[in-house]
Amino acid sequence: MPANPIDDREICEPDAAAALPPLPPHLVPGALVVARGARWRVDACVPHGGCCALHLQEAPGGERRVLLWPFDRPVPSGTAAQPRVAGLRRWTAIAGASLARAVDPLAPRAAFTGDILPYQLAPAVAIAAGASRVLLADEVGLGKTIQAGWILADVLAREPDARVLVAVPAGLREQWASELAAFFAQRPARVDAAWLRAAVADRPADVSPWSAPGAYLGSIDFLKRPDVAATLAAGTWDLLVVDEAHGAAAPTERHAALAAIGARARRVVIITATPYSGDTAGLASMTSIGAKPGEPPVLMFRRSREEVGDRRGRRHRFATIRIGREEFRLQRLLERYTRDVWRDAPPGADGARLAMTILRKRALSSPAAALRSLARRLDLLRGAVAQPRQLALFDEEPEPDEAMPDAALAVPGLADRHREERWLSSLIEAAGRAGASDSKQRHVLRLLSRTRGESAIVFTEYRDTLRQLAGALTPALHLHGGLTSAERADVQRRFNDSGGILLATDAAADGLNLQQRCRLVVNYELPWNPARLEQRIGRVDRIGQRRRVHAITLVARDTAEDLVVATLARRLARVAATLGERDRLASFLTEARTARAVIAGAAPEPDDEALSAPPLPRASSVDFPVDRIAGELARRTERAHRREPDERSEPAAGGTVIARLRASRDLPAGFVALVRAAAVSDRQTVAERPFLFHVRADAVHRPSTRREARAMARGPILAAHTAAPDDPSVRRWFAAVQSTHEIAVERRLGREEALRGGGAPAAAIQAGLFDARALRDASRTADHEAHRRQDHDRYARALEESRILHLECAVEALLIVWR
């Protein structure tokens, strides 16, 4: 591969270089000149017989041209910076800054304001190396949003015209926007119904509102709307990011919309802290977003705290609560009723068993929650009409902690309806008596009174329990699914600013950062899927937490919560610690299996499917050392970011800085040249690295004036510039960069070809059978498909053109070592 875009040997015959008259002093590498009406930077001067090839560049990353001197005679630019003489301290500062500014082909190009952690860089390195789909599945609190931010910012830095779509739960939009702005200076457009109406009104009818380059941030539930999803899937996205992807598994409208968009995305990032929860089909559907036939499976980054060296302390204990007599009576009556229903329910009666699970879980949360569900079930069995659930408007999320599952509660459990009604009447009376003295509530009040003003989050699964606690804990902030996204964001901000007591349902357990003033989490009840505990505690036990985290989970003594659920949770911890397979072994403690253990007395065991499902490929299994590269880049980037700004380290624009130093035993007389080598394509600089060269010359005397120093330096500058491309160390570096770049381009071309062939075939339209509207729609669809293929062809051509790299060298600094 040639070192320059144009082979100079085809321009001039190299037969008499000595006959070439001396170049004017302004034609040196790095000088700014004007030629043919444009301003250029001189990149190289290659002498030939009777002429000299001047390699010029219009601007960094701009057009390149080769002119022949003396046939073309560039003149100095009025603002050109000639080589200048500086003091030794300034020269040293410039050289040190240059050595720290090496650019690796896989290094993220984004600016970052925070602590750079190697494992957080690894996914961005994988994407830069050509991976098209990654799954970020680190444990809770390890900064998956930051990892996705590195990828997003790097894609936009490398491709300024890229379009990026970030799909997140509605409650996390504000947090995503603030973190992208704070850490990466990225401010995506926050899309919702109002934004879409304004965007459509401001554009011609045939221009998509998503056509402008940049990043778009929207809630999954807004983006899944059929009218919105159709416009999103009509174009090609350079990057799709899906947060909390476990909530978008098939079969759901969320999954259908994201799968359609991902099928048109060049890169896909899937984020979840719970990649496998026992549902193999759900895992497969989640990880299939953006998949194409013949492509490798999604690349998973699944790191634990121990693996990334996170030594933050945490203390989690189960606090057993002795419940009162009336509460104990409610639990025993409910045990008998639910066991009778579970035993008598015919095969396939999932609704009745689901109703029993709801009743048992709510009773273990609080008598108030049990009372509401029992009363509602009795009304439904007596003929009350089930209230249809009001669908959320636009981009608001469902309300999982409040929606009463009438469809399940209305299913009869016993063949004798009157017997079941008598059961429910007795249970309602027992729940009313138990509610007069809630043992868990008394324990929480005593616990919080002893914390002496310590901020705390009290998690409960149900809003009925939250309401009861709110009456006893005033003032306290409330965070639940009934709030709008703006209200939830306001509660999060107020709690992080001022602390206090926060009462929250699991609507706050996914994704939110609540660690700024809080380190104490109280779980009012033990979730039947113990994986939820990690989600809750992870709101405060995450990056940025500087104190030891304390978590307390309340367990009602001598109830199913104590005898079954807590036992299973402890067993899970032991098994996972012993076998190290927490992802798979955690899957057997799903809520359904826990319900069978609580109500039917059947001990859950990991099934064959959970243990035999093939693992996803991790980053360490791919054919490039992601973790090692990320570690090296993190250290280098951290040094560059931590370097204090110093105006002395800024090189003279477009010129070489010259300094003088007396020779010593360690540094013989001669010249020391700092040469910056760059591997460039037609579109951008792929990599840069400085090299130091020392040329010995015994007859070097001390220049007495600045003019004499510049005159002495002109020859060594030209010699260093000419010799650098042939230096073995430079050639080895350039060959390594070429190899890495070639692999990345090949992978991206493969993805582009898969995307190009992924369009739906056009349906045949018979003009005599359809009205003009159908014909216009078909024509518009055909036009969109043609434009899409043209876009893929242009992108593929650009990739092909960027495949060939050229080596360019420039002398940034020269040290005259005199004797």
Side-chain angles (χ1 to χ4, degrees):
M1 185 176 295
N4 295 297
I6 300 178
D7 192 339
D8 303 315
R9 290 173 298 182
E10 300 178 2
I11 302 174
C12 299
E13 292 296 332
D15 51 0
L20 180 67
L23 285 172
H26 63 272
L27 293 182
V28 294
L32 300 180
V33 298
V34 175
R36 300 192 182 185
R39 189 164 176 260
W40 308 84
R41 185 194 72 191
V42 179
D43 279 345
C45 304
V46 183
H48 296 276
C51 66
C52 182
L54 304 177
H55 292 248
L56 309 177
Q57 185 174 12
E58 192 169 13
E63 181 184 353
R64 292 180 175 80
R65 184 167 296 183
V66 177
L67 302 180
L68 297 181
W69 184 88
F71 309 107
D72 275 286
R73 295 180 178 269
V75 298
S77 171
T79 59
Q82 296 295 328
R84 55 177 299 180
V85 179
L88 187 60
R89 293 183 63 183
R90 174 171 168 78
W91 190 96
T92 304
I94 291 173
S98 180
L99 292 170
R101 286 196 301 264
V103 178
D104 188 273
L106 302 183
R109 304 295 198 260
F112 180 71
T113 55
D115 294 331
I116 300 175
L117 304 177
Y119 75 90
Q120 292 184 343
L121 281 183
V125 170
I127 290 289
S132 58
R133 297 191 310 126
V134 299
L135 172 63
L136 306 182
D138 289 343
E139 285 188 355
V140 176
L142 294 185
K144 292 182 287 295
T145 303
I146 296 299
Q147 297 175 48
W150 275 113
I151 296 173
L152 179 150
D154 187 44
V155 168
L156 292 175
R158 292 174 186 266
E159 303 176 20
D161 57 347
R163 296 186 312 123
V164 175
L165 179 64
V166 183
V168 304
L172 298 182
R173 286 177 300 180
E174 293 298 324
Q175 181 169 292
W176 265 85
S178 63
E179 291 198 12
L180 288 176
F183 291 108
F184 299 98
Q186 296 289 336
R187 291 172 174 79
R190 287 184 249 186
V191 299
D192 53 18
W195 176 90
L196 186 59
R197 285 194 298 269
V200 170
D202 289 344
R203 289 170 173 79
D206 58 343
V207 176
S208 170
W210 314 97
S211 58
Y216 301 83
L217 172 64
S219 79
I220 297 175
D221 287 308
F222 170 68
L223 301 177
K224 79 178 183 185
R225 288 173 42 181
D227 56 329
V228 178
T231 60
L232 291 168
T236 301
W237 292 90
D238 295 282
L239 173 65
L240 169 66
V241 179
V242 181
D243 194 12
E244 302 295 343
H246 51 268
T252 60
E253 292 180 353
R254 293 176 176 180
H255 177 77
L258 293 172
I261 300 169
R264 296 288 179 84
R266 294 184 170 105
R267 309 167 185 90
V268 177
V269 176
I270 304 167
I271 306 174
T272 177
T274 53
Y276 189 64
S277 58
D279 183 2
T280 304
L283 172 67
S285 68
M286 178 182 68
T287 56
S288 69
I289 296 175
K292 291 292 184 180
E295 286 192 318
V298 66
L299 181 62
M300 181 174 68
F301 289 85
R302 176 67 168 165
R303 281 80 59 97
S304 67
R305 296 175 184 273
E306 295 80 9
E307 289 173 333
V308 302
D310 188 343
R311 306 302 181 193
R312 284 176 289 148
R314 174 199 290 187
R315 184 184 180 193
H316 181 200
R317 68 182 180 91
F318 293 92
T320 54
I321 309 300
R322 186 181 296 278
I323 61 176
R325 178 183 300 176
E326 296 298 336
E327 293 172 286
F328 188 79
R329 180 172 179 268
L330 171 62
Q331 295 295 331
R332 288 296 178 262
L333 287 174
L334 196 54
E335 285 177 16
R336 291 169 54 191
Y337 168 62
T338 57
R339 186 161 297 177
D340 286 349
V341 172
W342 196 280
R343 183 185 62 245
D344 295 347
D350 293 336
R353 291 183 172 179
L354 177 59
M356 298 305 100
T357 301
I358 293 169
L359 294 177
R360 293 297 296 274
K361 289 179 62 182
R362 290 174 72 89
L364 288 169
S365 178
S366 69
L371 178 61
R372 185 175 181 218
S373 295
L374 289 165
R376 183 59 180 161
R377 178 168 174 78
L378 181 58
D379 288 343
L380 291 170
L381 293 180
R382 285 176 172 174
V385 178
Q387 295 296 323
R389 184 173 176 186
Q390 176 67 46
L391 295 178
L393 293 177
F394 303 130
D395 55 346
E396 293 299 324
E397 288 184 305
E399 302 174 359
D401 54 71
E402 175 63 13
M404 289 292 290
D406 282 0
L409 291 177
V411 177
L414 299 176
D416 187 341
R417 189 187 69 181
H418 296 291
R419 176 170 171 252
E420 183 159 19
E421 290 180 1
R422 289 194 301 273
W423 257 119
L424 290 170
S425 297
S426 299
L427 287 165
I428 290 171
E429 179 187 0
R433 291 172 181 247
S437 177
D438 191 324
S439 302
K440 283 189 175 181
Q441 178 175 300
R442 290 199 308 271
H443 185 89
V444 167
L445 293 177
R446 288 198 304 269
L447 173 67
L448 295 180
S449 68
R450 294 198 303 266
T451 60
R452 299 178 182 178
E454 180 88 24
S455 296
I457 305 175
V458 181
F459 271 110
T460 178
E461 193 165 352
Y462 301 106
R463 207 188 308 169
D464 292 323
T465 302
L466 185 147
R467 290 193 187 100
Q468 177 179 298
L469 281 169
L473 285 170
T474 55
L477 296 171
H478 304 163
L479 190 59
H480 52 74
L483 304 178
T484 66
S485 300
E487 290 171 335
R488 273 183 274 184
D490 180 62
V491 171
Q492 180 187 8
R493 178 188 57 77
R494 289 162 60 193
F495 184 69
N496 280 332
D497 288 345
S498 305
I501 304 299
L502 174 64
L503 304 179
T505 66
D506 285 325
D510 286 334
L512 292 181
N513 294 330
L514 301 171
Q515 76 276 15
Q516 292 185 20
R517 293 186 178 272
C518 180
R519 62 167 178 164
L520 173 61
V521 171
V522 179
N523 296 296
Y524 199 77
E525 69 277 313
L526 179 58
W528 283 22
N529 181 350
R532 296 299 296 173
L533 285 175
E534 185 63 29
Q535 287 284 346
R536 292 176 175 182
I537 301 171
R539 296 312 98 216
V540 301
D541 191 7
R542 57 201 302 108
I543 292 175
Q545 178 62 263
R546 302 190 181 279
R547 299 180 295 168
R548 186 177 187 181
V549 169
H550 292 263
I552 301 172
T553 299
L554 307 186
V555 178
R557 179 178 292 179
D558 296 328
T559 66
E561 192 172 42
D562 179 27
L563 302 175
V564 180
V565 184
T567 301
L568 293 175
R570 295 186 184 101
R571 177 187 173 191
L572 169 64
R574 289 195 301 270
V575 171
T578 302
L579 300 181
E581 288 284 348
R582 72 183 68 185
D583 292 341
R584 292 188 201 288
L585 295 173
S587 67
F588 78 86
L589 275 189
T590 61
E591 188 167 301
R593 293 190 178 105
T594 303
R596 286 199 297 269
V598 169
I599 301 174
E605 294 292 342
D607 54 23
D608 293 338
E609 183 183 23
L611 295 179
S612 62
L616 293 170
R618 297 198 177 210
S620 58
S621 66
V622 298
D623 56 355
F624 50 91
V626 173
D627 291 333
R628 181 182 61 78
I629 294 172
E632 295 174 356
L633 295 178
R635 289 188 292 272
R636 188 186 307 161
T637 307
E638 184 72 20
R639 287 196 299 269
H641 283 193
R642 289 186 182 278
R643 175 178 288 273
E644 294 293 333
D646 185 351
E647 62 179 9
R648 293 178 306 175
S649 66
E650 295 300 320
T656 303
V657 177
I658 305 168
R660 298 164 289 188
L661 176 67
R662 186 168 187 170
S664 65
R665 183 174 58 183
D666 297 327
L667 183 62
F671 300 92
V672 177
L674 176 64
V675 177
R676 175 163 291 271
V680 299
S681 68
D682 288 342
R683 288 177 169 262
Q684 63 179 346
T685 298
V686 174
E688 287 184 319
R689 181 176 170 182
F691 292 87
L692 283 171
F693 297 96
H694 177 251
V695 179
R696 297 190 62 165
D698 295 334
V700 178
H701 63 276
R702 180 181 182 180
S704 57
T705 63
R706 292 177 178 268
R707 177 177 297 180
E708 184 180 1
R710 283 193 291 268
M712 289 179 61
R714 188 173 298 121
I717 289 175
L718 182 59
H721 182 274
T722 303
D726 296 322
D727 182 80
S729 59
V730 175
R731 300 306 301 180
R732 284 194 300 270
W733 168 81
F734 183 61
V737 170
Q738 282 180 308
S739 176
T740 300
H741 180 68
E742 178 75 16
I743 293 172
V745 169
E746 282 295 331
R747 288 176 174 145
R748 293 174 62 190
L749 281 171
R751 176 70 176 180
E752 200 65 25
E753 184 59 30
L755 293 176
R756 188 183 186 281
I765 298 293
Q766 186 174 349
L769 297 180
F770 297 89
D771 59 18
R773 237 178 346 182
L775 292 174
R776 285 196 301 270
D777 291 343
S779 175
R780 189 177 298 113
T781 300
D783 289 342
H784 283 318
E785 188 65 19
H787 287 310
R788 187 181 69 84
R789 291 183 178 274
Q790 290 173 2
D791 177 62
H792 287 306
D793 290 341
R794 284 193 298 270
Y795 195 85
R797 283 197 300 271
L799 283 176
E800 285 288 357
E801 292 170 358
S802 70
R803 182 194 298 268
I804 299 176
L805 297 181
H806 311 291
L807 177 62
E808 295 183 353
C809 296
V811 182
E812 290 194 340
L814 185 80
L815 182 63
I816 301 174
V817 184
W818 55 275
R819 185 181 298 279

